[in-house]
């Protein structure tokens, strides 16, 4: 089983700042890594698939990078609506999610 | 409008069974791989089950294997999750989710989610 570890658990930032979220896999997941955003009381929303491809309707301030075991989600200019929990997810064999990073308002 | 609507959740006793439904609209369910994902209160996301679009692979996560059955009714455009021998640790919001690419054996990347249905296992 491939385990995904996200860091930090919580990120405290102000609107307009840059957010950098990390996701590390216990073994290579190739490029089969995606990111989801979840707000309280809502279902997750796909942001990024296969490392760096933005899903339909996702703003350009969201970008993904990485390969193999180390991946990053960057939000270049935090908007008020971006404060949420972010999960990475791989799709090798079966889907597995990381534990999440909460981006909160500082 | 592409939409998934789950139903069937509720409060049940340990050891009982429950069948969750996921009604699709705006697209043909049988053209996509579908999944169930759950989220315990205050916790992260856990994948539960998969149903390939061509029915060639249907399966459940190890945490629910032997207690989980996933099925589909094409005439109703609806996906189901039958959970048996429910345990306290099955308490969660259950989401159904659609694979991102249609008519693809396995994608495992979810572009459409339902709003979820809450299952509470308690005596």
């Amino acid at each position: 089983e491939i385990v995904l570890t996200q860091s930090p658990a919580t990120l405290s930032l102000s609107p307009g700042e840059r957010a950098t979220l990390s996701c590390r896999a216990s073994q290579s997941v190739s490029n089969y890594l995606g990111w989801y955003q979840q707000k309280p009381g809502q279902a997750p929303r796909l942001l990024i698939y296969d490392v760096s491809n933005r899903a339909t309707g996702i703003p350009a301030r969201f970008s993904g990078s990485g390969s193999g075991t180390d991946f990053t989600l960057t939000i270049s200019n935090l908007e008020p609506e971006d404060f949420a929990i972010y999960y990475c997810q791989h799709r090798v064999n079966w889907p597995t999610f990381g534990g999440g990073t909460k981006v909160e308002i500082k | 409008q592409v939409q998934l609507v789950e139903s069937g959740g509720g409060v049940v006793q340990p050891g009982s069974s429950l069948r969750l439904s996921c009604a699709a609209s705006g697209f043909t369910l049988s053209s996509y791989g579908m999944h169930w994902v759950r989220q315990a209160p205050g916790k992260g996301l856990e994948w539960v089950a998969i149903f390939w679009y061509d029915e060639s692979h249907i399966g459940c996560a190890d945490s629910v294997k032997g207690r989980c059955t996933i099925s589909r009714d094409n005439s109703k455009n609806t996906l189901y999750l039958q959970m048996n021998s429910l345990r306290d640790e099955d308490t969660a919001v259950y989401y159904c989710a659609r694979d991102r690419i249609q008519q693809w054996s396995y994608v495992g990347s979810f572009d459409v989610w339902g709003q979820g249905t809450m299952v509470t296992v308690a005596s």
Side-chain angles (χ1 to χ4, degrees):
Chain A
E1 179 187 354
I2 301 175
V3 176
L4 296 177
T5 302
Q6 292 188 239
S7 61
T10 304
L11 199 51
S12 299
L13 295 167
S14 301
E17 290 192 296
R18 181 186 192 91
T20 303
L21 288 67
S22 174
C23 177
R24 176 164 291 178
S26 58
Q27 58 185 278
S28 177
V29 297
S30 185
N31 67 330
Y32 300 139
L33 194 286
W35 294 89
Y36 296 81
Q37 176 194 67
Q38 188 178 33
K39 297 179 181 179
Q42 296 186 15
R45 176 173 72 145
L46 179 65
L47 298 175
I48 301 286
Y49 64 90
D50 294 349
V51 178
S52 59
N53 298 281
R54 277 189 301 277
T56 302
I58 301 303
R61 65 180 181 273
F62 291 93
S63 63
S65 62
S67 64
T69 60
D70 289 288
F71 302 90
T72 301
L73 173 70
T74 301
I75 312 171
S76 60
N77 185 358
L78 279 166
E79 297 285 346
E81 63 268 26
D82 299 336
F83 292 91
I85 298 175
Y86 293 83
Y87 295 95
C88 59
Q89 178 236 326
H90 78 72
R91 56 187 186 95
V92 176
N93 297 326
W94 63 87
T96 302
F97 294 88
T101 291
K102 182 180 182 181
V103 178
E104 66 175 22
I105 300 177
K106 186 174 181 180
Chain B
Q1 179 186 3
V2 172
Q3 194 173 9
L4 295 168
V5 178
E6 301 95 335
S7 60
V11 180
V12 295
Q13 292 191 330
S16 61
S17 299
L18 206 58
R19 189 178 81 157
L20 307 180
S21 301
C22 169
S25 59
F27 71 99
T28 302
L29 200 65
S30 60
S31 294
Y32 289 84
M34 295 296 297
H35 302 256
W36 288 93
V37 176
R38 68 184 181 182
Q39 186 170 36
K43 302 297 184 182
L45 301 165
E46 178 189 16
W47 173 79
V48 175
I50 186 171
F51 195 104
W52 281 18
Y53 85 98
D54 60 1
E55 302 188 50
S56 61
H57 182 68
I58 301 169
C60 298
D62 287 344
S63 60
V64 297
K65 196 164 287 185
R67 303 186 295 120
C68 156
T69 302
I70 183 171
S71 60
R72 186 178 72 193
D73 185 333
N74 293 340
S75 68
K76 295 182 178 180
N77 216 31
T78 299
L79 183 75
Y80 300 99
L81 179 69
Q82 174 81 32
M83 291 285 293
N84 301 322
S85 302
L86 285 161
R87 306 167 180 169
D88 291 350
E89 57 264 34
D90 295 319
T91 294
V93 174
Y94 285 72
Y95 297 100
C96 61
R98 188 184 83 169
D99 264 341
R100 186 175 52 80
I101 303 173
Q102 65 175 327
Q103 296 183 329
W104 201 262
S105 296
Y106 170 64
V107 181
S109 180
F110 316 128
D111 68 339
V112 179
W113 294 68
Q115 86 289 348
T117 187
M118 182 71 202
V119 173
T120 303
V121 184
S123 52

